[in-house]
Amino acid sequence: MAVVEGQMIEVKWGARNKEWFLKKGYIFTKMGDSFYVKLKHLKNGSSQMIQVECDDEKCENIFRTQKRYYDKSVSSHIGAAYCKSCSYKRRSKIKEEKDKKNLANVNHIEIYRDVIKKNLDRFPDSYVKSMTIDQASELVKELIKHLKNNNVITNDNEIPRALSMNTMRKYHLDRICDKFTLRTLLDYTFSGKYKAWEYRSVERGYWSLKENRRNALEWFLKKLKEDDIIVNLDKLPKISYKKYLMRYNLSGILKNYTSFGDLMVDTFPEKYNRWDFPVPKNYYKEENNKKYIMEWLTKKMMEDGLIDSIEDIPSIAHNKIFKHYNLSSFLVHCFRDSPYDAFNYLYPNTWNEWEFSYVPMKFWDKGSNVSKAIRWAIEQGIKDGIIEDLNDLQSYPLRTLLDRYGLSSLFNKYDVYFIISLLFPESFDNTKKRTKINGVSLDSKEEALIHSYIIKNFTNVNIPNKSENLFKNHKENESYVPDWIINKNIIVEYFGMYDSSGTKMIKNYTNKAERKIEYFNSLEGYDFIAIFPNDLKSNMQGVKNKLEVFIK
């Protein structure tokens, strides 16, 4: 212990010190004047401020204190002078030792029970400071027991959410939580039984770590499956997940995200795409998104071995492919549910509609599409060397040619030979390309079906020769040869290309058909039966309905 050597103390002349300092040899000037004296010349019990070095070995502070306080400290049982900071620490240490001695034989559980019963205000500071985490954990369990006894907690599942910092503060365990942190104390107490998100709140910044989000979301999806809310973890349904996040105490995970979809894609970029979840309004219609999705789909089909190159797209592209990759809504919103339109958007003018396994709905209802497809198939056949040139049309099996390019189904609805004769009149004669049944030549498979039904149910069936212009429409200056005449008074005609919305060629056919229908219906002594492609559906039900009234 020591005062600072050599220091001079400023004092003022006064009635109480004049005689003292005159005896010490100081020269008086006048009352109130300041003068400096040596430290050793100050009176005992002086209130003058002096500089003192702190007596704590680890402290190097020099502090100011009144000389009387300094004298009292060094003359007491302490025998030293300490700065304010060291003095406080020393008193706290003495108090801590005293508390330890007083509480040495007292159980911490008993103390806490007194705290809960309000027999004590709180745990002594020194006791909290010396408490181990095992003891703190036992106090948490004691609190749970108390909460259960008072029906604050009814089952173990409620424990994590009940033990919030507010609860700890209410039941006087907040200083213990400050020592260990609430999460550390709870994790230690329950040995990882509960997940971090099962508690009332997570630690600050917890959800900013991707690993924490991944763990929580994987747990969340498994819980949804266990509770039968979802069926397949690999293919999530497009439902609202926010209410379920709230149910499982995970709503905080969305703090930095506008939607569950954004959260999942950011957390699992290798597994999920934005369209695997409900998308924002107009998301699909943004050009950048449309292009990205179609490019992704093409690349994904290659990665999954569905196609080897884009040339394989028509053979595989179907609505089911889009559904498989959670893109059904995208296909509907952007491309009218047409795979052709979708891939034509990405690779414009690369393919025709009929090159795809499935053409757009009602595509073949338009005669213009039929004519275009047939012309393309014949020209493609020449290009591929299947037929040499147009002169081969008459001798080549055209059904086989169209079948090669996926167009043989057109024979089921249209008189393909007739259309070819209109497309290539100089190269193909429709009258030379007929189907034979029992020696009777017919223009198409459809006519062959109708003919089979007619000869099965009628005995007097005549197929007029086309050179016999039996019926003359003077009003239109046209001659008509019907397909069948039954019992000499029933005229039957099949209109295989009837389509008022088709190309000019098809419309011309339809207009003539309507003139023919009007004329035959006007003939006296005859019954007229008009048969259309729809009549051949459902096992020729329409044909049967129209002819059965004449069957005896």
Side-chain angles (χ1 to χ4, degrees), residues 249-497:
N249 198 37
L250 276 170
S251 56
I253 200 172
L254 279 172
K255 183 178 180 181
N256 297 320
Y257 298 91
T258 57
S259 68
F260 182 74
D262 291 335
L263 165 67
M264 290 294 285
V265 172
D266 185 50
T267 306
F268 301 98
E270 76 289 353
K271 189 172 184 180
Y272 296 109
N273 294 295
R274 187 60 187 82
W275 53 86
D276 292 328
F277 308 92
V279 297
K281 186 177 181 180
N282 296 323
Y283 175 85
Y284 288 136
K285 294 188 177 180
E286 293 182 13
E287 287 300 312
N288 288 340
N289 293 339
K290 283 171 63 175
K291 186 176 181 183
Y292 173 78
I293 291 172
M294 287 307 302
E295 288 176 343
W296 176 90
L297 176 60
T298 304
K299 181 180 178 181
K300 189 65 176 172
M301 289 165 63
M302 288 185 181
E303 290 176 354
D304 293 347
L306 297 178
I307 58 175
D308 294 325
S309 68
I310 65 169
E311 295 178 357
D312 300 329
I313 287 176
S315 63
I316 193 68
H318 183 257
N319 306 61
K320 291 180 180 178
I321 292 294
F322 286 81
K323 183 179 180 180
H324 176 73
Y325 291 110
N326 283 331
L327 288 170
S328 293
S329 295
F330 167 70
L331 187 65
V332 171
H333 280 85
C334 295
F335 301 108
R336 302 173 300 168
D337 204 28
S338 169
Y340 167 78
D341 288 347
F343 285 102
N344 189 58
Y345 165 80
L346 188 61
Y347 304 105
N349 303 317
T350 303
W351 305 284
N352 295 299
E353 290 90 332
W354 54 82
E355 292 183 80
F356 281 66
S357 299
Y358 298 89
V359 297
M361 188 178 295
K362 296 185 178 180
F363 179 81
W364 294 127
D365 289 349
K366 292 185 177 181
S368 58
N369 293 335
V370 177
S371 300
K372 182 180 177 181
I374 293 174
R375 178 185 291 277
W376 172 86
I378 292 174
E379 292 175 349
Q380 191 68 29
I382 295 174
K383 181 179 178 181
D384 293 342
I386 298 170
I387 55 178
E388 187 172 342
D389 52 37
L390 292 177
N391 293 327
D392 285 349
L393 287 180
Q394 199 68 53
S395 59
Y396 194 85
L398 297 179
R399 185 182 292 272
T400 302
L401 177 65
L402 266 64
D403 183 55
R404 178 183 179 88
Y405 297 110
L407 292 171
S408 61
S409 61
L410 294 180
F411 283 93
N412 299 330
K413 186 174 181 179
Y414 293 98
D415 187 343
V416 175
Y417 297 131
F418 179 74
I419 296 174
I420 294 174
S421 70
L422 295 176
L423 291 171
F424 306 101
E426 296 180 357
S427 304
F428 186 78
D429 183 356
N430 184 41
T431 61
K432 296 181 181 179
K433 210 70 176 177
R434 302 170 68 86
T435 300
K436 285 190 176 184
I437 295 181
N438 295 335
V440 177
S441 296
L442 299 157
D443 290 338
S444 67
K445 179 182 178 181
E446 293 72 32
E447 287 192 7
L449 291 172
I450 298 170
H451 181 73
S452 295
Y453 179 82
I454 291 174
I455 62 175
K456 182 178 180 181
N457 293 280
F458 298 92
T459 55
N460 188 358
V461 179
N462 178 35
I463 297 181
N465 193 315
K466 293 191 180 295
S467 62
E468 302 172 0
N469 296 323
L470 299 179
F471 298 90
K472 180 73 174 180
N473 184 349
H474 296 288
K475 177 182 177 182
E476 300 293 343
N477 193 29
E478 293 176 341
S479 297
Y480 309 131
V481 179
D483 291 326
W484 297 273
I485 298 178
I486 302 172
N487 298 336
K488 297 184 179 181
N489 66 337
I490 303 172
I491 297 175
V492 180
E493 184 80 6
Y494 174 59
F495 300 100
M497 292 177 56

Side-chain angles (χ1 to χ4, degrees), residues 530-547:
I531 298 176
F532 303 95
N534 281 340
D535 292 326
L536 276 70
K537 294 181 179 180
S538 301
N539 196 25
M540 296 185 40
Q541 191 59 48
V543 175
K544 294 174 182 178
N545 292 340
K546 290 181 177 181
L547 290 174

